[in-house]
């Protein structure tokens, strides 16, 4: 079995010339995490985030691996919101709108009365 490609087939990196001083940087961030299910079960684990960069720096060809471990644990949980809490929140929004409207109406009436007294 031959590893050579047919001459008619063009490869993706054909003709690519890399600079003499590529610097590869790989970043890995590890975050402790806890998942709490509705039934009460708890699962501990980790989340990983990775990134990589390729730069043409003057330090020469190099590879850097950087790993960070977050000191803060992330906790995911699900919460059921009761209808009574939802209705109380809606009433609070409606009451706040009514209060703001009445304050603005009173301000406009006072401004009109003040403007009328000046004439």
């Amino acid at each position: 079995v031959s590893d050579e490609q047919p001459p008619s087939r063009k490869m993706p990196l054909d003709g690519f010339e890399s600079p003499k001083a590529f610097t590869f940087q790989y970043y890995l961030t590890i975050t402790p995490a806890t998942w709490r299910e509705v039934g009460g079960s708890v699962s501990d684990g980790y989340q990983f985030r990775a990134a990589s960069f390729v730069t043409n720096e003057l330090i020469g060809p190099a590879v850097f691996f950087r790993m960070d471990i977050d000191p803060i644990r992330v906790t995911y949980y699900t919460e059921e919101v009761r209808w009574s809490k939802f209705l109380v929140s809606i009433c609070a929004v409606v009451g706040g709108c009514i209060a703001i409207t009445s304050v603005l109406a009173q301000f406009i009436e006072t401004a009109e009365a003040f403007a009328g007294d000046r004439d």
Side-chain angles (χ1 to χ4, degrees), residues 1-74:
V1 176
S2 174
D3 290 336
E4 294 181 19
Q5 296 292 330
S8 63
R9 186 170 180 175
K10 183 166 172 72
M11 300 304 289
L13 294 178
D14 283 348
F16 176 76
E17 293 183 25
S18 68
K20 302 280 188 235
F22 260 146
T23 300
F24 297 91
Q25 299 177 10
Y26 298 97
Y27 297 94
L28 179 66
T29 304
I30 301 171
T31 304
T34 300
W35 290 269
R36 295 179 189 242
E37 302 294 331
V38 176
S41 64
V42 177
S43 300
D44 290 324
Y46 296 93
Q47 291 181 326
F48 301 95
R49 288 186 307 269
S52 64
F53 299 98
V54 179
T55 59
N56 187 4
E57 297 179 358
L58 298 176
I59 60 174
V63 175
F64 294 103
F65 297 96
R66 297 190 175 130
M67 183 177 74
D68 292 330
I69 300 176
D70 287 341
I72 299 173
R73 177 174 291 278
V74 177

Side-chain angles (χ1 to χ4, degrees), residues 40-111:
S41 64
V42 177
S43 300
D44 290 324
Y46 296 93
Q47 291 181 326
F48 301 95
R49 288 186 307 269
S52 64
F53 299 98
V54 179
T55 59
N56 187 4
E57 297 179 358
L58 298 176
I59 60 174
V63 175
F64 294 103
F65 297 96
R66 297 190 175 130
M67 183 177 74
D68 292 330
I69 300 176
D70 287 341
I72 299 173
R73 177 174 291 278
V74 177
T75 303
Y76 295 99
Y77 61 93
T78 307
E79 214 175 45
E80 290 185 19
V81 179
R82 306 240 183 250
W83 280 104
S84 59
K85 187 174 182 179
F86 175 72
L87 291 175
V88 168
S89 297
I90 295 295
C91 290
V93 169
V94 171
C97 291
I98 292 172
I100 293 294
T101 304
S102 65
V103 167
L104 288 175
Q106 184 67 33
F107 177 74
I108 291 171
E109 287 178 16
T110 304

